[in-house]
Amino acid sequence: MALVGRIARPHGLRGQVIVNLETDFPEERFQPGAELFVERGGRVEPLTITTVRFHRERPVIGFRGIDAIDGAETLAGLELRVPLAALAALPDGVFYRHDLIGCRVETTSGGTVGVVSDVEGSMSGSRLVIDGAAGEVLIPLAAEICREIDAAGKRIVIDPPEGLIDLNAKT
């Protein structure tokens, strides 16, 4: 399942929650009637959205069966997920974060950098977090640096400016 948001905290007394976004398509993803999934106590549970409004670019959401602050408090900190099949198709050259996690990263000269453990940022500016031999390496997710991305083959080829890998390596 793909992560689309994290419940930050309850909002108000009627069981609504504020969500920190993990999707670039919030208006499409968070709609009344949409089903999201959370994991609680080792079980995956569905939650159906009943109300949505946006406040400061974050959705304030109500869920079926949760109508008081007590119920909303139990959701704080939970991840909201959807099945991978529910994700929209993306244009060429655009990837979901989960598609890049686990990719091997190597340089155009054949050197091994490491494996992508996370993707940070937004569509306007993202970076790859790579677990390298010398520690964490941060690489901008930019066409000038990331020359080839084969998400299906779990491989990314980069051409970093001189010193970038060493500069960003945390030891």
Side-chain angles (χ1 to χ4, degrees):
M1 296 190 113
L3 178 66
V4 295
R6 286 184 173 85
I7 298 175
R9 60 180 173 79
H11 180 79
L13 302 174
R14 296 188 182 136
Q16 295 180 321
V17 296
I18 294 178
V19 174
N20 291 329
L21 295 173
E22 293 288 341
T23 178
D24 291 323
F25 311 104
E27 288 81 13
E28 292 85 6
R29 177 64 54 211
F30 300 107
Q31 292 285 324
E35 191 171 59
L36 303 172
F37 297 85
V38 296
E39 184 178 337
R40 287 200 276 193
R43 290 187 17 225
V44 175
E45 301 175 14
L47 292 174
T48 302
I49 296 174
T50 56
T51 61
V52 179
R53 67 182 173 84
F54 285 82
H55 179 69
R56 296 187 179 162
E57 299 182 13
R58 293 194 304 176
V60 177
I61 298 176
F63 293 108
R64 181 177 298 141
I66 299 176
D67 53 6
I69 192 168
D70 295 350
E73 286 175 339
T74 67
L75 300 175
L78 295 179
E79 295 180 340
L80 296 171
R81 296 186 172 267
V82 296
L84 293 178
L87 298 176
L90 298 175
D92 287 341
V94 179
F95 305 92
Y96 284 109
R97 292 172 188 230
H98 67 267
D99 290 334
L100 301 180
I101 294 173
C103 285
R104 297 176 329 275
V105 180
E106 53 193 55
T107 63
T108 53
S109 61
T112 299
V113 179
V115 176
V116 176
S117 62
D118 198 5
V119 180
E120 298 176 338
S122 64
M123 282 183 69
S124 61
S126 297
R127 64 184 178 185
L128 301 172
V129 179
I130 301 167
D131 287 336
E136 186 177 81
V137 180
L138 305 174
I139 301 291
L141 186 55
E144 300 81 26
I145 295 172
C146 299
R147 298 301 177 128
E148 181 183 338
I149 298 176
D150 177 6
K154 292 304 216 184
R155 180 174 171 258
I156 299 173
V157 178
I158 65 171
D159 187 13
E162 184 154 343
L164 179 65
I165 292 174
D166 295 331
L167 176 68
N168 283 301
K170 296 179 181 177
T171 55

